[in-house]
Every structure is written in C-alpha cells, then in structure tokens.
Amino acid sequence: MRQDTGYDDLRVAQTVRLRYWAAAAQAAGTDFDDIEVSGEVTLTDLIQQATVLHPERKFADVISTCSLLLGEQPVSTNAPDAVTVGPGDCVEFLPPFAGVDRCSWWTCWHGLPG
C-alpha cells in the first residue's frame, strides 16, 4: 500500500498548449495539442513536435504561413530558435485571412496604422 506523503506525484507533466485556428485546426484535425515539456523549449522545438504529431504535408504548409502568438504577444517567426516557451504557455497558430497578409492582419486587428 502506498503511503500518502502529501505529494500527488513529483513527476507531474508540464505542458505547452499549441492552439490551432481556422485552416491550421482543419489541417491538424484538432483545435489544440498539449506538448509535454520538462522546462523551457524553443519555438523551433514545438513546431517540430507539432509536425511529428501531424505529419501530413498540408499541416506543414499551413503552419508555415501562420502568424504566431505567445500568450497575447505576437512572435517573430524569423528566428524561432531565439523564442523560448515555458510550461503553462500557449502558442497560437493563426493562418492568414483571405486578402490580408500576416503583417497587416496584426496591425488591423489592433487598430495600428498599416
């Protein structure tokens, strides 16, 4: 019989949520994935894990065009190795909207001059 030590499990999994919107969700077949991490990881690591979970070419094609948010902040995809993501964070993949490119979409949504 296991003795209650007051700790549920010292190896509790920590996760990062990858949330997919619109065409990204359709290509993934789900709205989100929870990725287990043991600490901070790079955005590159998470994108690679997502493409392993969803190996279809359409998924890779769609997420390569997405704007990304880390929490509520836009993330530059120019240097994904430089972006660190920690347990409990959420990375959102937002495909471009029809007729709106990635940069102007963000400025339009926040009412900023294009």
Side-chain angles (χ1 to χ4, degrees):
M1 179 174 197
R2 183 177 156 194
Q3 182 179 0
D4 183 6
T5 62
Y7 299 99
D8 291 327
D9 187 347
L10 295 177
R11 296 173 297 164
V12 173
Q14 298 178 20
T15 62
V16 171
R17 176 157 287 184
L18 305 182
R19 184 173 304 278
Y20 311 114
W21 294 94
Q26 185 178 17
T30 185
D31 293 332
F32 67 91
D33 288 313
D34 288 328
I35 307 294
E36 284 191 27
V37 296
S38 58
E40 287 191 340
V41 295
T42 67
L43 186 54
T44 298
D45 296 331
L46 293 171
I47 292 170
Q48 288 173 345
Q49 289 185 43
T51 58
V52 167
L53 290 172
H54 308 286
E56 303 81 15
R57 181 68 189 175
K58 182 177 181 179
F59 179 77
D61 289 345
V62 170
I63 67 165
S64 71
T65 66
C66 287
S67 294
L68 302 179
L69 299 177
L70 177 55
E72 295 182 4
Q73 298 299 313
V75 175
S76 170
T77 56
N78 294 337
D81 280 337
V83 178
T84 57
V85 182
D89 285 340
C90 180
V91 178
E92 305 201 37
F93 292 82
L94 299 114
F97 294 91
V100 180
D101 68 33
R102 294 189 316 174
C103 296
S104 64
W105 168 83
W106 181 255
T107 57
C108 289
W109 188 36
H110 288 283
L112 301 172

